Amino acid sequence: MNDWQDIAARIAEASGTPFSPKAPQSIGGGCINSAIVLEDGNTRWFVKLNRAALLPMFEAERDGLSAMAETGSIRVPRPLCTGVSGSQAFIAMEYIPLGGRSAAVRAGAELAAMHRAASDRFGWHRDNTIGSTPQPNDRSADWVEFWRRHRLGFQLDLAARNGHRGRLSERGARLMEKLPALIDHAPMPSLLHGDLWGGNIGTAADGAPVIFDPACYYGDREADIAMTELFGGFGAPFYDAYNGAWPLEPGYRTRRTLYNLYHILNHLNLFGGGYRSQAETMIDRLLAEVG
Ligand code: ADP
C-alpha cells in the first residue's frame, strides 16, 4: 500500500464511510506544504502533506480549523484527521471548491462575528506556526505582555540569532519598552485566524467566503484586520462591512503598523533580504509616534 492509499484508509476510518479513491490529483498554490485531492465519486477530501516531523503543525492546523468552525460564523474547511503515513505527515479536511465571485461584504461581517468568540486570556491551548516559524501561544491575561514576549520579542530574538543585529536590535528593544503607549486600548481576547492574507481566503461556489490555513490564537482582533491590509488589502466593501458589524477603535492605524511588524519580521526571518529595511522603517515610524 502506498502513502495515499494508506491515507485513504485512515480517512475511511475517521469518517466511518468506505472510501476507495482513484489516484490523487496534485494541487498547486500552497506556500509550505504539498496538497492532493482524494476523490472516489462520492466524496472528496483535501489532504496536505509534509515531512513526518511536522505532524504537530498539522495538529495545530486541525485545532485551529475546529475552533473557527465551532464559532458558526465564517465558513472554514472541517478538519477530519491528521497522522503520519510512511515518511509523511498529513491533514485531511473537507474539500471546498473555491473560485466563486468575491464575497467581501459577507467576509467582513462574518469575520467580525468570528472575532466575537472570546476567551478569558490571550494566547491559545497550544503553540503553532506562522509560515514555518514557531509561534508560541502561552496564555496571558495581559495583551501588551503577550505581544511583547510571544510576538515582537520572539521574532526580534530570532532575527538577532539570524544575524540581524545592530540598529534593528537596538530600535526593536526601544520599541518593546514603548509598547504600553502604542497599545493604548484594552482589547478582548478574540479568536483570530492569525495569518489572514489574501492567499488564505476564497469563495465557495454558493457565494460563502471561506478562510483556511490558520495560525489561530486569542488576541486583539485588529491584528487580523491589520494583516488583511499588509499585502494589498481586501477592498473597501470588506472593511465597511466589518466596521458596520463591529467598528474598529480609534488608534487602529498606529496599531496596524505594530501588528504587521510581526509579520514583516517573520518574513525577514524566513526570507531575509529587503524585509530588514521594511522592518526598520516600521519601527522608526512607531517610535516617532511615541517620542
Ligand atoms: P499551505 O499550507 O501550503 O500554504 P494552503 O492551506 O494555503 O496551503 O492551501 C493551498 C491552496 O489550496 C489554497 O490557496 C487554496 O486555493 C486551496 N485550498 C486550501 N484548502 C482547501 C480546501 N479545504 N478545499 C479546497 N481547496 C483548498
Side-chain angles (χ1 to χ4, degrees):
M1 198 189 281
N2 63 26
D3 285 0
W4 67 264
Q5 285 168 322
D6 179 44
I7 293 170
R10 311 272 282 277
I11 287 175
E13 192 185 337
S15 64
T17 310
F19 184 54
S20 308
K22 310 185 285 260
Q25 192 191 328
S26 273
I27 296 276
C31 299
I32 310 287
N33 308 289
S34 62
I36 55 174
V37 176
L38 288 173
E39 139 165 53
D40 74 349
N42 290 318
T43 31
R44 271 195 288 193
W45 295 98
F46 185 80
V47 178
K48 287 168 53 166
L49 302 159
N50 211 318
R51 289 181 293 116
L54 296 179
L55 177 63
M57 179 180 77
F58 285 148
E59 291 172 336
E61 179 169 355
R62 174 199 63 201
D63 287 6
L65 291 171
S66 296
M68 293 192 298
E70 274 166 29
T71 67
S73 52
I74 191 163
R75 187 164 177 199
V76 300
R78 296 256 171 193
L80 177 71
C81 58
T82 54
V84 171
S85 179
S87 61
Q88 297 200 289
F90 71 90
I91 177 171
M93 67 185 81
E94 174 188 11
Y95 177 80
I96 304 179
L98 301 171
R101 285 176 50 186
S102 165
V105 171
R106 261 184 82 175
E110 292 180 3
L111 183 67
M114 187 181 99
H115 285 161
R116 294 210 185 261
S119 173
D120 58 344
R121 279 171 301 162
F122 301 99
W124 209 35
H125 67 279
R126 65 185 301 159
D127 296 343
N128 48 16
T129 47
I130 182 75
S132 53
T133 308
Q135 176 167 267
N137 290 320
D138 301 35
R139 302 255 198 198
S140 170
D142 182 336
W143 174 242
V144 173
E145 186 54 26
F146 181 87
W147 195 260
R148 179 186 285 130
R149 282 191 56 201
H150 301 308
R151 294 294 179 265
L152 218 47
F154 184 83
Q155 291 285 349
L156 283 168
D157 286 350
L158 201 55
R161 288 203 297 281
N162 287 334
H164 302 291
R165 297 198 178 83
R167 192 166 184 280
L168 181 71
S169 294
E170 286 154 28
R171 301 286 283 171
R174 183 154 176 72
L175 183 68
M176 301 261 279
E177 288 166 16
K178 298 286 183 184
L179 282 189
L182 284 163
I183 305 179
D184 59 347
H185 76 156
M188 67 181 221
S190 290
L191 181 65
L192 306 187
H193 175 284
D195 194 8
L196 197 54
W197 67 292
N200 286 341
I201 185 167
T203 312
D206 66 356
V210 184
I211 57 176
F212 43 87
D213 201 15
C216 289
Y217 62 101
Y218 288 94
D220 185 348
R221 64 200 175 98
E222 292 179 351
D224 258 0
I225 300 301
M227 187 161 198
T228 68
E229 297 199 69
L230 184 55
F231 303 112
F234 282 16
F238 171 85
Y239 300 102
D240 289 348
Y242 186 94
N243 277 292
W246 192 1
L248 294 175
E249 291 177 28
Y252 161 69
R253 281 175 178 280
T254 299
R255 292 187 294 270
R256 176 177 68 187
T257 306
L258 178 66
Y259 293 151
N260 281 340
L261 175 60
Y262 171 65
H263 295 291
I264 294 301
L265 288 169
N266 188 40
H267 277 64
L268 171 63
N269 285 316
L270 290 171
F271 311 118
Y275 291 108
R276 180 175 175 146
S277 62
Q278 191 177 350
E280 287 184 9
T281 303
M282 291 167 94
I283 294 174
D284 288 347
R285 207 185 317 147
L286 288 163
L287 286 175
E289 298 240 2
V290 283

